[in-house]
Amino acid sequence: MPEWLISLIKILVIVFGFVMAVASLLTVLGDRKQSAKIQNRVGPNRARLFGTNILKDTGIPHFIADGIKMVLKEPTMPANANKFLFLLAPGLVLLPGLFGWAAIPFADQWCSGQIMVSPEYQEVCTGGEWKNYFQIMDVNAGLLYVFAITSVSIYGAAIAGWASNSKFSLLGGLRSTAQMISYEVTLGLSLAGLILIYGTLDLNEMVRMQGTQLGGWLPMWGVVVQPVAFFVFFLAGMAETKRAPFDLPESESELVAGYITEYSSMSFGAMQLGEYAATVMIGALVAILFFGGWQVPYLYGDGFHFGTPNGTPDLALNYYVVILLRIGSMIVKTLFFVWLQFMMRWTLPRFRYDQVMTLGWKILLPLSLANLVITAIVAAIL
Amino acid sequence: MQIADYSALMIFLVLGVVVAGAISALANQFGPRNKTKQKVLPYESGSNPIGSPQQMRFSVKFYMLAISFILFDLETIFVIPWAVAWKQNDMLGHGLYALGVMLVFVTILTIGLVYEWKQGGLEWD
């Protein structure tokens, strides 16, 4: 198969298959059904599939109906809005959320030969080469790329707020810009300690390094070596996605819907989809950086090894099964963190705006700085 | 890493823009169009808007925040390459030197953060 065809298939399967279909379906469902369960409601159960009652109570037909309605509703634009910027903003929110997925690995590279595991937990591919099948782009500065691309969506929020010619939108846009740039600093700085330990920005390589074990039994996941960074990163990530308890930019009771107020039809849909994609993105990043990404504990290229690998696996597995387990592991971890974000979202009340800023600048930023300094000192001594 | 490895990203960029354009074109095609005077009014809880928000003034705090963001984001940009190079530095025996350099850098910025804090640049009341 030619190279471009492989790339195209990867893009279609990962982004338009997983991120846009499965993940957004699950997040929309989670958003509506899970919140209903938490608030002791029934949730969406009215839409029906072709007049039958199949899946009626699950709310899945609602998801399809919502998608169709986005297309069939009237796109409006407020008077005196800046036409070009008004139409550009949804794209600037949606596309960065999707483009970030280019660097996310869903499994290790494919070994076309025989795979061996060395006593140092390194996987060696003999008689073949590594093929990059489970990651759209094998970029060695993956983490930097993800941060660079996803932070472009700040422009989307700011432009949407300004171009709408509505006061609620402007306030929402300002608030979300301020909030996102505040937490952007913490988001990057909290990972410095982790990068120091791994010594690379390649996401796939980072996951591979989490395959070693501490004392022969505890998987060396990022959360084991950098527990503080995990909490700081997860909180900052939640604030970046602008979801409750950090949903100040679109707090319904104060600002109607923030910078989305004037949007309707597919522009609104694109903004929502972009935010869901960002939520799943944070889940995937947490899984990759702190919870071993596609790693399954004790599972290596040729099967399960309990204790130090000595050539023969304790439970030999087919290579295809290993790959499937790893992809499954990555997806389950990602969805778990999406679920956790929704759980927090529907359990905690909204902060006040000054509390959000205080948390970002006076607590999380000094905490991530201290974490970096302590990690560096410990690494220098050891 | 070869330049050819970025071809996947190029395909992705084109495809993403095409898909985004296609869905908005679909909405434009199938959505009804009946503009009324009330419908195009910016939402303001039903009253007629007074003045344009695009000429409105907003709190100077946001500018302060943007300036602090630039400083601390630059700090992140300088710290991350240092962190990536740490392993090589440590292996070559420059570990303590690298640590000292970083500590000086972080200390200066922490002094800046403390100064801003004391001056009330981070207060929101």
Side-chain angles (χ1 to χ4, degrees):
Chain A
M1 260 198 291
E3 200 68 32
W4 64 268
L5 196 60
I6 297 175
S7 303
L8 197 65
I9 292 171
K10 280 191 295 192
I11 293 165
L12 289 177
V13 170
I14 292 179
V15 177
F16 298 102
F18 175 69
V19 180
M20 270 174 92
V22 179
S24 62
L25 171 75
L26 287 172
T27 41
V28 170
L29 273 184
D31 208 14
R32 302 182 69 172
K33 273 295 188 188
Q34 194 181 346
S35 66
K37 280 270 182 305
I38 290 173
Q39 296 170 341
N40 210 0
R41 295 183 281 117
V42 181
N45 66 347
R46 292 293 162 184
R48 301 166 77 181
L49 270 182
F50 309 112
T52 60
N53 278 342
I54 309 166
L55 298 173
K56 184 163 164 266
D57 289 332
T58 59
I60 292 173
H62 262 277
F63 173 76
I64 300 163
D66 280 349
I68 296 170
K69 271 201 293 185
M70 296 281 180
V71 175
L72 294 180
K73 292 290 172 181
E74 177 179 1
T76 59
M77 190 187 293
N80 300 327
N82 188 318
K83 211 169 184 176
F84 174 69
L85 291 179
F86 186 81
L87 293 175
L88 179 73
L92 277 181
V93 175
L94 170 66
L95 291 179
L98 297 182
F99 288 151
W101 287 89
I104 302 289
F106 278 81
D108 203 354
Q109 296 191 339
W110 176 267
C111 169
S112 56
Q114 191 67 32
I115 200 154
M116 301 278 287
V117 182
S118 77
E120 291 85 40
Y121 306 102
Q122 295 283 322
E123 288 175 14
V124 188
C125 187
T126 48
E129 53 181 327
W130 293 108
K131 296 255 196 219
N132 178 32
Y133 285 159
F134 304 105
Q135 187 185 15
I136 292 174
M137 176 180 60
D138 180 26
V139 56
N140 51 11
L143 191 58
L144 220 51
Y145 166 81
V146 171
F147 279 151
I149 288 286
T150 49
S151 56
V152 173
S153 63
I154 296 175
Y155 289 109
I159 289 174
W162 186 81
S164 295
N165 192 30
S166 161
K167 283 158 197 157
F168 288 118
S169 298
L170 183 73
L171 289 173
L174 278 174
R175 275 193 186 187
S176 66
T177 316
Q179 180 178 325
M180 283 171 90
I181 62 176
S182 299
Y183 283 86
E184 191 80 26
V185 176
T186 316
L187 204 67
L189 212 55
S190 65
L191 292 182
L194 201 71
I195 296 166
L196 183 144
I197 291 170
Y198 294 145
T200 175
L201 287 169
D202 187 338
L203 289 175
N204 219 347
E205 186 65 34
M206 277 182 164
V207 177
R208 240 172 262 143
M209 288 180 132
Q210 294 179 55
T212 55
Q213 282 156 26
L214 195 67
W217 62 275
L218 185 65
M220 275 284 270
W221 286 357
V223 70
V224 176
V225 285
Q226 287 276 294
V228 178
F230 163 64
F231 285 108
V232 174
F233 181 81
F234 192 53
L235 272 182
M238 277 193 71
E240 281 283 294
T241 56
K242 304 184 290 278
R243 288 293 172 191
F246 297 100
D247 66 341
L248 276 306
E250 47 194 88
S251 46
E252 307 84 1
S253 46
E254 297 166 32
L255 293 181
V256 190
Y259 61 89
I260 323 183
T261 306
E262 297 296 341
Y263 281 90
S264 63
S265 161
M266 204 61 221
S267 317
F268 172 79
M271 290 221 165
Q272 289 290 313
L273 194 60
E275 286 185 7
Y276 283 129
T279 309
V280 186
M281 184 76 184
I282 291 295
L285 274 182
V286 169
I288 286 174
L289 295 167
F290 295 101
F291 286 86
W294 41 257
Q295 296 276 5
V296 181
Y298 315 117
L299 178 70
Y300 297 95
D302 51 359
F304 282 98
H305 289 270
F306 304 107
T308 313
N310 53 2
T312 50
D314 295 316
L315 179 65
L317 283 178
N318 191 318
Y319 191 49
Y320 291 95
V321 179
V322 171
I323 289 287
L324 279 181
L325 276 176
R326 284 179 163 175
I327 295 174
S329 155
M330 174 68 194
I331 289 174
V332 166
K333 283 171 188 170
T334 304
L335 294 181
F336 172 77
F337 284 105
V338 172
W339 174 83
L340 194 63
Q341 286 185 59
F342 281 121
M343 211 59 197
M344 286 164 79
R345 174 178 177 190
W346 290 109
T347 319
L348 299 172
R350 184 184 301 141
F351 288 130
R352 267 196 340 253
Y353 199 68
D354 61 320
Q355 288 172 329
V356 170
M357 287 298 151
T358 307
L359 179 69
W361 287 97
K362 294 186 182 172
I363 300 174
L364 292 187
L365 181 62
L367 206 60
S368 55
L369 271 174
N371 180 50
L372 167 68
V373 170
I374 291 170
T375 311
I377 291 174
V378 170
I381 292 169
L382 292 181
Chain B
M1 178 140 195
Q2 309 276 308
I3 193 76
D5 296 347
Y6 291 103
S7 62
L9 182 64
M10 285 297 129
I11 298 172
F12 191 9
L13 290 179
V14 173
L15 203 65
V17 173
V18 167
V19 167
I23 54 176
S24 42
L26 265 180
N28 263 337
Q29 192 63 40
F30 292 109
R33 287 293 175 113
N34 353 314
K35 262 192 198 171
T36 61
K37 195 163 167 288
Q38 268 68 34
K39 208 182 273 176
V40 296
L41 269 186
Y43 180 77
E44 220 154 280
S45 311
S47 56
N48 285 329
I50 301 167
S52 165
Q54 289 167 0
Q55 275 101 47
M56 221 166 67
R57 298 182 173 188
F58 51 84
S59 174
V60 74
K61 295 274 179 205
F62 290 107
Y63 292 99
M64 276 299 294
L65 196 80
I67 293 169
S68 344
F69 163 71
I70 292 175
L71 283 180
F72 286 97
D73 214 40
L74 273 181
E75 176 186 11
T76 315
I77 291 168
F78 285 125
V79 162
I80 284 181
W82 172 87
V84 175
W86 166 263
K87 267 193 174 173
Q88 280 112 315
N89 272 328
D90 204 26
M91 251 187 284
L92 294 172
H94 302 155
L96 284 176
Y97 172 72
L99 179 69
V101 170
M102 193 277 285
L103 281 182
V104 170
F105 180 67
V106 169
T107 310
I108 293 171
L109 272 147
T110 311
I111 292 170
L113 181 66
V114 171
Y115 178 74
E116 198 190 346
W117 193 328
K118 287 274 174 276
Q119 290 285 310
L122 304 177
E123 305 299 329
W124 278 84
D125 7 274

